[in-house]
Amino acid sequence: MELFETKEKIDRALLVSVDTGDFDAESSLAELFELVESAGAEPVASISQKLDRYETATCVGSGKLTEIKEYCEAEEIDLLIFDCELTPTQIRNIEAETDVRVIDRTTLILDIFSRRAISKEGKLQVELAQLKYLMPRLTGKGIALSRLGGGIGTRGPGETKLETDKRHIKRRMETLKEQLRDVENHRNELRRRREKNSVITVAIVGYTNAGKSTLMNYLTEAGVLAENKLFATLDPTSRSLKLPSGVTVMLIDTVGFVRRLPHHLVEAFKSTLEEAAKADIILNVCDVSSEEAQIHLSVTEEILKDLGCGETPIIPVLNKCDLVDNGAEEFRINSSVKISAVTGEGIDSLLNAIEENLPVRVKRVTLSVPFSEASLVAEIRKTGTLLSEEYTAEGILVEAIIDEKFWHKVRDFAIG
């Protein structure tokens, strides 16, 4: 899905917002500016209109559409981007009136997704989301089909061709779903293996561009793409992280959230989000320098609850505190940790917070192991974390972190 000419010419885009009172139109429009820049276009300006409801034929009123047309002609606008979801009829009517290509918010996000996806799973998810969005928009005119550029009837197909296209897309969607099931089964197998080996997982979640990948890189040197762009990360990345106590956890970077993310996009990335849902600890990262930081934290928490994470420890992480003069002191959020993933400020506090929320299946113990049971020390070294060992007259004095499954083997030798 290529909407923008990024090599030779950057599209000049005019953003259009219709405020019906159903959401914060101003904040949504500000986010749309960022989305457009992330997609590689130039957001030149925006035009807004307050309406009780969207106009059926053109989304905006006739007078506002004339204003949009005149602006496009005067400023040589290449692309109109509406901050809502348009019907095929609305797109056709607006394009006919303005003679400018028109897309909506969902199409824009899909374009960004298609550019960012790297893994096989990510590409499959993006293509499935594109086809789900395209399917009800097949009009028989060839307009919507040309947006994917896949060679599926891009020159005004008739009704027979349209039905052929629909069948082709349905078959392709079934193929994609089957391939995604295979990928998901593989992911579930890896998850079961981690659980069997008692691997503790810590998921990094939050709004897109909150600094999640930068935090991941700081903690693990993972080399994850970290750009000042929305949706720089689509594919989950897993890396091991050794905490100060010696416990090793698996850190997982996930796709970022964005307000008004279309439902079928959330569905398409469900398996990615499940990495967060199945985690032992969740780091809810927000950009504390943003005026909407608290809203972002709250929205993310709501999404996590919908995913079934109500009982999972969630640590609010206020990132980019180096960009705030007062160090984000105005925030009064329980158990929150203020950090900078760029400078490293507050990272020690974050690691301590993770350790405080470790699941009960991990125990830190001091043992006096008799020499006759020395094989237990070797087993600890293999399956747990051996912090120290000292040979005494009574036996081997050991300080270690062990799995609770192993506890029954050594509890008779515990000290204190």
Side-chain angles (χ1 to χ4, degrees), residues 46-63:
S46 66
I47 290 180
S48 301
Q49 183 178 30
K50 283 192 174 184
L51 293 173
D52 292 333
R53 59 181 178 81
Y54 299 118
E55 291 292 336
T56 304
T58 55
C59 189
V60 295
S62 57

Side-chain angles (χ1 to χ4, degrees), residues 273-344:
L273 297 175
E274 279 180 352
E275 288 295 306
K278 301 293 184 181
D280 296 297
I281 300 171
I282 295 174
L283 306 183
N284 183 3
V285 181
C286 79
D287 175 1
V288 77
S289 66
S290 168
E291 294 179 355
E292 298 192 312
Q294 288 182 308
I295 295 175
H296 289 178
L297 281 173
S298 300
V299 171
T300 303
E301 282 191 7
E302 287 301 316
I303 294 174
L304 291 171
K305 286 180 182 177
D306 291 341
L307 289 170
C309 303
E311 302 300 319
T312 306
I314 300 176
I315 303 172
V317 181
L318 312 181
N319 190 27
K320 305 187 184 182
C321 67
D322 55 309
L323 301 181
V324 183
D325 292 337
N326 59 5
E329 289 301 325
E330 75 277 10
F331 275 84
R332 293 292 183 268
I333 301 173
N334 292 335
S335 306
S336 64
V337 181
K338 293 184 279 290
I339 69 161
S340 168
V342 172
T343 66

Side-chain angles (χ1 to χ4, degrees), residues 130-195:
Q130 288 174 328
L131 293 178
K132 281 183 177 180
Y133 182 71
L134 173 65
M135 190 67 175
R137 286 166 170 74
L138 294 182
T139 61
K141 300 298 182 182
I143 296 174
L145 285 171
S146 65
R147 297 186 189 286
L148 277 179
I152 308 173
T154 56
R155 290 285 180 181
E159 192 62 28
T160 304
K161 183 70 169 70
L162 175 61
E163 293 305 314
T164 302
D165 290 333
K166 285 185 175 180
R167 284 196 299 272
H168 177 85
I169 290 177
K170 284 179 179 177
R171 285 196 300 269
R172 179 58 182 161
M173 287 172 67
E174 288 304 315
T175 300
L176 290 172
K177 288 176 182 177
E178 187 175 336
Q179 291 177 329
L180 278 170
R181 279 193 292 269
D182 292 340
V183 175
E184 188 173 350
N185 289 337
H186 176 66
R187 184 189 296 280
N188 288 336
E189 180 59 35
L190 291 177
R191 189 182 294 131
R192 282 193 293 269
R193 196 176 304 168
R194 287 203 302 260
E195 290 173 355

Side-chain angles (χ1 to χ4, degrees), residues 57-72:
T58 55
C59 189
V60 295
S62 57
K64 185 62 67 173
L65 188 58
T66 300
E67 180 186 337
I68 290 171
K69 177 183 178 181
E70 292 173 352
Y71 188 92
C72 289

